[in-house]
Amino acid sequence: MTTNEFVNDLKSLSLTQSENDYIQTMERLLIHLKDATPNGLLEDKPFGLSLIDNLYRVIPVFDKKLSSQNAESHVTNAFLETLYNACRVTCITDLFLALKNSSHLEVIFQNYVSLLKEEYFSADKQYDYLASCLINIMVISSVFIYIPEDQLPSDYISHSLAFTKKYWQIPEREQLINQILMSMKIFCKKPKLVPTIVYHEWPQACVQWLTFPGRRPSYNIDIHICYIVQKLARCTIGVNVLNQLNCIKALGDSKDRMKKDHSADEYSTIDFIQSIIYALLVEADEIKENYLLADELMCHILEQLVSLIFNAIKSDLLTHRGFHITEALVVLSKLFVNDDILKKCLKDSNELFDCLSQFLIRFAMPISESTMSFQWMRDEILTTLTNLFWSISFHQFSHEKFQSNSNLMDVLSNFANSSSLYVTTREPSFPLDLCSLKKAAEGILWNLKFLHLPSSTDKSCQEQQESSIMISYSHSDSKFCHELVEHLSQHVSIWVDYKQIHSHAIHSDDLWEDIAGAMEKAIMIVLIVSKDYYESKSCRQELSYASDTLKKRLLPIYAPNQQYRANGWLGIRIAGQKYVHFGRKPFVDAANDLLSIVHSDKKLVLPVKPIQKTVEQQENSFQNWTSKDIQKWFDDNRIHRDLFTLIGEQFSTGTALLIYARHLKQFYRQEYVQIASNYSSKFDGKHLQTVDFIIFVDALWRLYEEQKSSMINYESTKSREKEKSI
């Protein structure tokens, strides 16, 4: 039987066939499948691709045949079992790599993503091979393509979790459980999909499985659970959730049981993954405190990471002990935020800098068509390496190493000037908090003084702009920054990057000269202090230039609910500076304190502050809100326009909006489900993006808390006035 004959037989399967015809056709298909794939689908690549391109058409037929226990279901399951064995992960991965066509893989993903049904995850094992084949094809194809959040099969995420919770320790269901866990591991490596996975509470389930007190499940299940946690820990949202669940303690609690129930080699691999998780979850300031006390665990982790890098570079597949080199690079890029770890790591391994340099040069070279399929990992390697070098370049001791390596400097210059040549349209699998290739390369050159920015002191007086204060902040604090700028702009001239972006319609990667120029003209730099600011290399670069080079006056401020205490490079630069904490008094009072400090600088001439509205006036103003005011509030908070159409248009007064905020606070989960359903109905099946909903909820809760605080202040003021009158 030829491939075409096989495909024609496959297409001929239907629910209208007689039982004998169906069984005879399936037996022919089974024989040919066994002959064509003795060692998997890679044995005959054209056959394997033709099979996958056409299999989805007959899944409804297989579904129906498997619903009854008879000869038809028996032969169907025999075919699916053979197919499952031929579709092992390594085989199908290599098959898709050989395809070198992302458009083809997108079609494959779309054909299979909607086929998984809830009934496939049930007490009946009849569907296990069917579900396993579908998951394998869907998930492996997703590795090489971009998947928007609204295309993630959320029903599959929830149904598969419920199934796994019920059967994760049942050996008879291990095959399907492994496929489910493998799929979640791959989905978790895509940062844009992590919020949905977190919403469905996969992190909670993984931590519960880790701390299960009884005998551990098989090694494959345990290793996949650890992999899921490790992939989640690559993203900020995953770190936050896992730390709330006290995941580090869960890892410690699971060690003895895993060591007892698994072989020495198996436990060694699990222990390494758990070490990576620990390094990704532990906070930067904790790393410093522990490391200075000779934390043996952290020393052990660093040794393992460096060893993985050295050994993986020697491998054609860039792997060692089953780990790709990018896993170690991502962890090091996070750990190198801490200066003590960075210095120790480079000191203990003198060859590390040269090794990473050669690796970067190697992957920066133009790639041939034969290796184009590996572009997906090339992006991650180049981005993580450049971010690593950016961290290193903040230290003077490294500058000679950079400058003496002309090939490395040429590569970095190319990245800074022509980074579009090194960027694909594929969704990045590296954490979103890593900076872009261009930005990191420019940051390195800046630190090495290879980027010379024109000083404002060299310009004529006619080119001088009005003196201002500049706001330096991490984009994770952008909401507070917008609120602050809106208030301060009424009193002083403000320079902030997002206004510059809007006015020039340029990408933030191209703002280095604008930022430097703004710092040079500014009388004062107001920095919004936070943990994210400390961990941002962009913020470090801004502040280093302002403080160390320009010797500018710094004014640190803290947003409400900010518990972070400045340490490391940030703590050194703002130590002893007068600061303002917006969490210790009402916003207007704190803003006035900030303005008072700015006014005290005699070099800045400022207009007289307008009279602030009283609390009573503010309260009355909110109560008098109209539909236009509500629409303006949605726009000011950058809430998606669809949500205003769906929800905002229903309110005509500020009081009604406040009552809804209180209701949403009490019934958050139920309201999300209802809004998501209404959203889909109103906008023709379109999915509500999780981020859009979070932005709306955050703004609404802040409004509720502000108005509640205003009411308390108002009542307190009225009470004092009453006491005075008595």
Side-chain angles (χ1 to χ4, degrees), residues 83-232:
L83 177 60
Y84 169 74
N85 290 327
C87 283
R88 295 293 184 184
V89 171
T90 52
C91 288
I92 201 167
T93 300
D94 290 343
L95 182 67
F96 286 165
L97 276 173
L99 190 58
K100 302 177 186 175
N101 187 334
S102 60
S103 298
H104 193 162
L105 290 170
E106 287 175 2
V107 172
I108 291 173
F109 177 80
Q110 293 298 335
N111 286 339
Y112 285 89
V113 70
S114 61
L115 295 176
L116 286 160
K117 296 182 178 180
E118 182 177 4
E119 52 262 36
Y120 295 169
F121 306 100
S122 63
D124 190 351
K125 288 181 58 181
Q126 193 74 354
Y127 292 103
D128 279 15
Y129 283 117
L130 175 60
S132 296
C133 290
L134 293 178
I135 292 171
N136 212 351
I137 296 172
M138 173 192 72
V139 172
I140 301 303
S141 64
S142 77
V143 170
F144 307 99
I145 63 174
Y146 168 70
I147 304 177
E149 184 181 4
D150 59 1
Q151 288 187 18
L152 184 68
S154 57
D155 289 344
Y156 167 69
I157 301 298
S158 57
H159 300 329
S160 62
L161 177 58
F163 177 83
T164 306
K165 283 181 176 180
K166 190 172 183 178
Y167 296 105
W168 73 293
Q169 289 188 298
I170 308 299
E172 291 77 15
R173 311 309 294 272
E174 183 175 334
Q175 166 203 306
L176 183 53
I177 294 293
N178 274 324
Q179 291 299 309
I180 291 170
L181 294 176
M182 179 271 295
S183 72
M184 295 312 303
K185 177 190 76 172
I186 291 175
F187 284 150
C188 285
K189 196 173 179 181
K190 295 177 176 286
K192 290 185 179 179
L193 303 185
V194 170
T196 301
I197 294 167
V198 168
Y199 173 76
H200 286 282
E201 300 188 348
W202 268 90
Q204 287 85 338
C206 289
V207 172
Q208 288 173 4
W209 293 330
L210 285 173
T211 55
F212 182 77
R215 180 174 177 79
R216 300 304 306 171
S218 71
Y219 166 72
N220 284 333
I221 289 179
D222 260 347
I223 197 75
H224 275 119
I225 292 171
C226 291
Y227 270 130
I228 292 172
V229 175
Q230 182 246 325
K231 304 305 179 192
L232 286 169

Side-chain angles (χ1 to χ4, degrees), residues 453-599:
L453 298 176
S455 173
S456 60
T457 56
D458 298 331
K459 299 178 182 178
S460 67
C461 295
Q462 290 152 349
E463 292 177 307
Q464 290 295 323
Q465 299 177 359
E466 179 187 359
S467 295
S468 63
I469 64 173
M470 177 191 171
I471 309 292
S472 177
Y473 69 104
S474 163
H475 285 280
S476 62
D477 299 312
S478 59
K479 290 180 181 177
F480 172 71
C481 181
H482 278 72
E483 186 179 6
L484 180 69
V485 169
E486 183 178 354
H487 181 87
L488 295 182
S489 296
Q490 302 172 33
H491 311 275
V492 294
S493 175
I494 300 288
W495 194 99
V496 64
D497 63 352
Y498 65 81
K499 287 190 174 182
Q500 190 75 6
I501 293 172
H502 288 173
S503 61
H504 293 298
I506 55 177
H507 192 274
S508 60
D509 280 353
D510 299 319
L511 276 177
W512 281 111
E513 290 193 11
D514 299 88
I515 291 172
M519 286 181 173
E520 292 164 3
K521 296 182 181 74
I523 296 299
M524 179 182 294
I525 310 296
V526 173
L527 60 139
I528 302 176
V529 178
S530 67
K531 176 177 173 289
D532 294 293
Y533 191 98
Y534 168 71
E535 294 182 348
S536 166
K537 287 181 278 291
S538 296
C539 294
R540 179 173 185 172
Q541 192 142 301
E542 287 180 18
L543 198 64
S544 297
Y545 185 62
S547 174
D548 303 349
T549 304
L550 301 177
K551 311 297 182 185
K552 289 290 181 176
R553 168 85 159 85
L554 304 180
L555 176 54
I557 65 172
Y558 295 80
N561 304 318
Q562 181 58 254
Q563 304 299 320
Y564 169 73
R565 295 180 62 184
N567 63 306
W569 66 266
L570 179 57
I572 291 172
R573 285 172 173 82
I574 67 174
Q577 299 277 6
K578 189 179 293 186
Y579 67 91
V580 178
H581 201 306
F582 280 73
R584 296 176 181 171
K585 54 178 64 179
F587 178 88
V588 172
D589 292 344
N592 284 338
D593 287 349
L594 188 156
L595 286 167
S596 296
I597 297 172
V598 174
H599 272 291

Side-chain angles (χ1 to χ4, degrees), residues 609-666:
K609 293 187 295 182
I611 299 174
Q612 297 293 331
K613 289 183 178 180
T614 65
V615 175
E616 182 175 6
Q617 288 173 324
Q618 291 175 355
E619 181 66 23
N620 290 335
S621 176
F622 177 78
Q623 291 178 347
N624 293 329
W625 270 20
T626 64
S627 299
K628 288 185 178 179
D629 295 315
I630 292 173
Q631 180 177 350
K632 183 178 184 301
W633 177 82
F634 270 79
D635 292 340
D636 290 345
N637 285 279
R638 298 174 179 249
I639 299 168
H640 199 285
R641 188 71 187 176
D642 288 348
L643 284 173
F644 173 74
T645 303
L646 183 69
I647 301 171
E649 289 183 350
Q650 312 304 315
F651 299 106
S652 58
T653 67
T655 306
L657 189 63
L658 203 59
I659 293 172
Y660 178 72
R662 188 184 304 125
H663 168 80
L664 181 61
K665 206 170 182 71
Q666 290 178 315

Side-chain angles (χ1 to χ4, degrees), residues 127-362:
Y127 292 103
D128 279 15
Y129 283 117
L130 175 60
S132 296
C133 290
L134 293 178
I135 292 171
N136 212 351
I137 296 172
M138 173 192 72
V139 172
I140 301 303
S141 64
S142 77
V143 170
F144 307 99
I145 63 174
Y146 168 70
I147 304 177
E149 184 181 4
D150 59 1
Q151 288 187 18
L152 184 68
S154 57
D155 289 344
Y156 167 69
I157 301 298
S158 57
H159 300 329
S160 62
L161 177 58
F163 177 83
T164 306
K165 283 181 176 180
K166 190 172 183 178
Y167 296 105
W168 73 293
Q169 289 188 298
I170 308 299
E172 291 77 15
R173 311 309 294 272
E174 183 175 334
Q175 166 203 306
L176 183 53
I177 294 293
N178 274 324
Q179 291 299 309
I180 291 170
L181 294 176
M182 179 271 295
S183 72
M184 295 312 303
K185 177 190 76 172
I186 291 175
F187 284 150
C188 285
K189 196 173 179 181
K190 295 177 176 286
K192 290 185 179 179
L193 303 185
V194 170
T196 301
I197 294 167
V198 168
Y199 173 76
H200 286 282
E201 300 188 348
W202 268 90
Q204 287 85 338
C206 289
V207 172
Q208 288 173 4
W209 293 330
L210 285 173
T211 55
F212 182 77
R215 180 174 177 79
R216 300 304 306 171
S218 71
Y219 166 72
N220 284 333
I221 289 179
D222 260 347
I223 197 75
H224 275 119
I225 292 171
C226 291
Y227 270 130
I228 292 172
V229 175
Q230 182 246 325
K231 304 305 179 192
L232 286 169
R234 288 161 56 105
C235 296
T236 302
I237 186 174
V239 170
N240 293 339
V241 172
L242 291 170
N243 278 334
Q244 289 172 10
L245 297 170
N246 207 357
C247 184
I248 290 179
K249 182 178 184 302
L251 293 173
D253 292 344
S254 69
K255 282 185 178 294
D256 289 342
R257 189 79 234 186
M258 286 191 175
K259 193 171 186 178
K260 179 180 179 182
D261 292 345
H262 299 306
S263 70
D265 288 343
E266 290 172 344
Y267 177 72
S268 175
T269 303
I270 290 174
D271 179 60
F272 183 51
I273 300 175
Q274 292 191 342
S275 296
I276 291 178
I277 296 170
Y278 172 83
L280 289 169
L281 292 182
V282 70
E283 300 291 340
D285 51 350
E286 291 179 46
I287 293 174
K288 182 174 183 180
E289 291 169 7
N290 291 336
Y291 194 75
L292 292 178
L293 294 173
D295 182 349
E296 293 183 4
L297 176 58
M298 185 55 67
C299 292
H300 177 61
I301 292 171
L302 289 173
E303 290 173 3
Q304 288 183 304
L305 290 172
V306 173
S307 174
L308 190 157
I309 290 172
F310 282 137
N311 286 288
I313 286 177
K314 300 173 185 176
S315 163
D316 291 338
L317 296 177
L318 301 177
T319 59
H320 178 62
R321 294 175 59 187
F323 296 93
H324 194 266
I325 191 171
T326 53
E327 300 297 347
L329 295 176
V330 167
V331 179
L332 276 187
S333 70
K334 192 255 184 180
L335 294 180
F336 274 17
V337 169
N338 181 278
D339 292 343
D340 296 279
I341 287 183
L342 183 153
K343 293 174 183 176
K344 181 70 174 176
C345 208
L346 292 176
K347 180 180 178 182
D348 289 349
S349 178
N350 292 325
E351 298 176 356
L352 182 60
F353 185 95
D354 293 334
C355 179
L356 294 176
S357 300
Q358 293 305 313
F359 192 46
L360 180 64
I361 294 167
R362 166 185 162 191

Side-chain angles (χ1 to χ4, degrees), residues 342 385-395 402 435-436 439-447 512 536-539 541:
L342 183 153
L385 276 173
T386 312
N387 273 266
L388 272 173
F389 279 121
W390 192 5
S391 292
I392 295 171
S393 71
F394 282 103
H395 301 278
F402 278 104
C435 291
S436 70
K439 191 167 189 175
E442 285 185 341
I444 297 169
L445 297 179
W446 180 308
N447 288 342
W512 281 111
S536 166
K537 287 181 278 291
S538 296
C539 294
Q541 192 142 301

